[in-house]
Amino acid sequence: DLDDPFRLYRCHTIMNCANVCPKGLYPAKAIASKRRVHFHIFMAEVHAALRQARLMGGADPVADVAAHF
């Protein structure tokens, strides 16, 4: 939604979060919650999730798995 006030905030320098980001938006917290994993392990998880989604019989298993990841 282009009218959403939280649609896009881009840091241009280091340590200017208080000046750039609106109150209540904590991008560092979102980045910290990300999980680092080797590409091959990640793809194995994706393919396993796709197999499971296909067995469940959803309309679009790729979209369902993408929403999860």
Side-chain angles (χ1 to χ4, degrees):
D1 182 19
L2 293 177
D3 295 326
D4 184 6
F6 294 104
R7 69 187 173 275
L8 176 66
Y9 287 90
R10 185 174 177 188
C11 297
H12 293 284
T13 60
I14 297 172
M15 301 302 291
N16 69 344
C17 295
N19 298 330
V20 175
C21 291
K23 300 267 187 231
L25 184 67
Y26 302 107
K29 183 177 178 184
I31 292 168
S33 68
K34 299 247 184 231
R35 178 176 69 116
R36 291 185 56 95
V37 64
H38 191 275
F39 176 76
H40 296 292
I41 294 170
F42 170 72
M43 288 308 297
E45 292 175 2
V46 168
H47 284 278
L50 280 171
R51 257 185 256 108
Q52 185 65 28
R54 286 187 182 114
L55 290 175
M56 301 277 291
D60 187 1
V62 174
D64 295 339
V65 170
H68 172 73
F69 284 97

